[in-house]
Amino acid sequence: MAEFTMELNDEQKEVQDWLHGFAADVIRPAAAEWDEREETPWPVIQEAAKVGIYSLDFYAQQYFDPTGLGIPMAMEELFWGDAGIALSIVGTGLAAVGVLANGTEEQIGTWIPQMYGDAGDVKVAAFCSSEPDAGSDVASMRTRAVYDEAKDEWVLNGTKTWATNGGIANVHVVVAVVDSELGSKGHASFIIPPNTPGLSQGQKFKKHGIRASHTAEVVLEDVRVPGSCLLGGKEKLDERLARARERAKAGGERVKNAAMATFEASRPAVGAMAVGTARAAYEVALDYAKTREQFGRPIIDNQGVAFQLADMRTSIDAARLLVWRASWMAVNGKPFTAAEGSMSKLFASETAKKVTAEAIQILGGNGYTREYPVERMHRDAAIYTIFEGTSEIQRLVIARTLAGMPIR
Ligand SMILES: Cc1cc2nc3c(=O)[nH]c(=O)nc-3n(C[C@H](O)[C@H](O)[C@H](O)COP(=O)(O)OP(=O)(O)OC[C@H]3O[C@@H](n4cnc5c(N)ncnc54)[C@H](O)[C@@H]3O)c2cc1C
């Protein structure tokens, strides 16, 4: 177990400085343009690929950092630059982690490189779980995957929605029902290789924020993939389903807890994104409050403004500490007895929404315009309380965990 410390080590600080430089020099200056264009910022992703930020190597290095702080630190810096662009850069990583966590070595070696492409020809990947009638209630998913034994192929049918990079991805990872009796334990994940017939992009959404990130429906009509595209393989799936059936008969408690542990480990990463956006808005507000003069003095000389900034900074630091704690717990295999991962996501995302709104207030009329970035940051911040489980779902998970009740 890595020794506990409140400080990043020298290597982490170096990576942090490097990421901050990229966020400040490349991401932030491009943010307003790609927000207005509402398109995937391919040139920025390409720049990130050239310097090594858009790559499996980089992501894996942070993911396997023994202190657990690699991913939250990276997310905070990139999202400090801009949330929409940063999501376009890290969105592929979310799909890649699905393969890293559940795939065989062969699947990892075959598909992850195709998710990223290379600096000369960058690609993206999508993770497709949500459906029009299955958002918070993942267990009500309808997309079906049926095994065609004669051909050793899986046939997928259904409609996915809200997929980041959906339809423009080279590789899609799709979650589908293989046994409808088992709720979320009857789900399995499939790789849909590039140019597979039957997969198409449905509606592309015009969004409130993170507009540089592509979000769309993905329609699957008789999509046939080889048996080798089932993540983890058929044997492992059959064993898992058999165990789930046994446990369901015995009450299902342990099944639910295993699924929850996965979410607890991934949610702090979203919390870290929120910390990045909140910090960015706070910094703009602090600078503005020190330089904007009214009534013959900088507005920060008014206690009302100064205290607001003090509260903003306190909340951001508290959010980061919750995120770091949960990330450290995940990497050290600590049990999430109080749903600490959900706690970190809940607090950080609500903080981002509040802090970015307060930043607009501190900038007055300027804050309300697109001449200043806080208006965009506020629109972006709203996503953190929605994706990867809404704030209400985080509260539900925390409350049920504290009460010792099963999570549905
Ligand atoms: C920009 C964007 C990108 C996304 N990217 C992806 C992606 O890449 N892949 C993917 O699979 N999904 C993605 N999602 C989907 C996202 O995870 C869902 O939107 C989210 O889980 C909420 O589901 P929903 O939108 O169906 O809302 P619903 O589940 O319908 O919830 C609506 C409201 O009801 C509340 N609610 C629901 N159930 C309860 C309850 N039991 N108690 C209290 N309140 C409740 C919710 O909190 C919310 O306020 C993305 C979404 C967006 C907007």
Side-chain angles (χ1 to χ4, degrees):
M1 188 187 293
E3 202 178 309
F4 180 75
T5 168
M6 301 290 278
E7 256 191 345
L8 297 176
N9 61 37
D10 288 346
E11 205 180 312
Q12 288 167 327
K13 279 187 200 147
E14 220 173 277
V15 176
Q16 187 185 40
D17 286 348
W18 173 56
L19 289 172
H20 188 75
F22 186 81
D25 299 341
V26 182
I27 298 181
R28 183 72 68 87
E33 179 191 341
W34 292 99
D35 174 58
E36 289 299 336
R37 286 174 67 162
E38 297 195 49
E39 286 169 9
T40 302
W42 291 106
V44 185
I45 302 176
Q46 202 164 8
E47 278 304 303
K50 271 190 210 153
V51 299
I53 290 172
Y54 186 70
S55 73
L56 174 65
D57 276 358
F58 171 73
Y59 208 80
Q61 222 171 9
Q62 304 316 314
Y63 190 74
F64 292 114
D65 177 341
T67 66
L69 301 190
I71 288 286
M73 178 269 291
M75 294 294 173
E76 180 177 335
E77 292 313 317
L78 294 174
F79 281 74
W80 174 90
D82 177 62
I85 294 177
L87 190 60
S88 292
I89 294 173
V90 308
T92 297
L94 306 179
V97 165
V99 178
L100 269 181
N102 302 308
T104 61
E105 271 184 31
E106 202 185 332
Q107 288 169 329
I108 292 169
T110 305
W111 299 112
I112 295 187
Q114 296 193 49
M115 290 181 164
Y116 284 93
D118 54 57
D121 182 20
V122 286
K123 306 284 187 199
V124 292
F127 179 75
C128 312
S129 171
S130 301
E131 296 184 1
D133 293 324
S136 302
D137 184 10
V138 181
S140 65
M141 182 180 292
R142 286 198 203 143
T143 297
R144 289 293 303 231
V146 177
Y147 188 51
D148 178 345
E149 200 159 359
K151 293 187 175 165
D152 183 28
E153 285 179 348
W154 287 90
V155 187
L156 286 90
N157 278 288
T159 300
K160 293 293 176 184
T161 193
W162 306 122
T164 299
N165 297 335
I168 61 166
N170 202 35
V171 177
H172 291 77
V173 176
V174 171
V175 186
V177 178
V178 290
D179 184 331
S180 55
E181 304 283 294
L182 291 173
S184 58
K185 274 292 143 180
H187 297 173
S189 298
F190 297 86
I191 293 282
I192 313 294
N195 307 314
T196 300
L199 183 148
S200 60
Q201 182 184 304
Q203 181 189 1
K204 178 190 168 185
F205 295 104
K206 284 182 80 69
K207 304 194 299 297
H208 177 62
I210 55 163
R211 298 196 303 173
S213 169
H214 172 103
T215 317
E217 286 178 334
V218 172
V219 181
L220 302 132
E221 287 172 305
D222 288 329
V223 171
R224 283 189 166 265
V225 295
S228 58
C229 285
L230 165 67
L231 283 182
K234 182 86 168 53
E235 203 175 311
K236 212 169 142 196
L237 173 69
D238 288 342
E239 282 170 19
R240 183 163 64 77
L241 293 177
R243 273 200 313 272
R245 285 182 197 115
E246 282 303 309
R247 284 173 186 165
K249 269 191 227 155
E253 208 74 350
R254 284 172 60 204
V255 173
K256 286 160 187 162
N257 289 343
M260 199 195 111
T262 313
F263 281 128
E264 287 304 312
S266 65
R267 283 178 174 154
V270 181
M273 298 173 188
V275 171
T277 300
R279 190 184 111 208
Y282 153 79
E283 286 175 9
V284 174
L286 178 64
D287 278 354
Y288 193 88
K290 289 197 292 193
T291 50
R292 169 71 176 167
E293 292 196 4
Q294 285 294 280
F295 302 101
R297 57 187 182 157
I299 58 170
I300 200 168
D301 272 358
N302 299 291
Q303 203 176 59
V305 175
F307 279 16
Q308 199 169 16
L309 283 158
D311 285 347
M312 287 158 78
R313 176 60 190 266
T314 304
S315 307
I316 293 166
D317 282 18
R320 185 185 300 104
L321 286 173
L322 284 176
V323 165
W324 283 17
R325 176 180 72 165
S327 305
W328 175 86
M329 289 174 73
V331 87
N332 287 298
K334 299 282 177 197
F336 291 101
T337 51
E340 290 87 344
S342 296
M343 242 187 231
S344 72
K345 200 251 175 192
L346 170 65
F347 189 77
S349 57
E350 293 292 340
T351 294
K353 248 168 81 166
K354 189 160 180 283
V355 163
T356 52
E358 287 165 347
I360 291 179
Q361 192 64 22
I362 289 173
L363 267 71
N366 281 331
Y368 200 61
T369 69
R370 293 196 181 176
E371 299 298 311
Y372 285 79
V374 290
E375 174 271 347
R376 183 182 67 250
M377 291 164 182
H378 184 50
R379 284 187 287 110
D380 291 345
I383 192 56
Y384 302 124
T385 63
I386 296 173
F387 68 7
E388 278 272 320
T390 63
S391 283
E392 291 73 26
I393 294 301
Q394 309 305 323
R395 289 190 180 97
L396 187 140
V397 169
I398 297 164
R400 284 184 169 255
T401 305
L402 296 178
M405 291 159 76
I407 317 292
R408 272 206 325 121

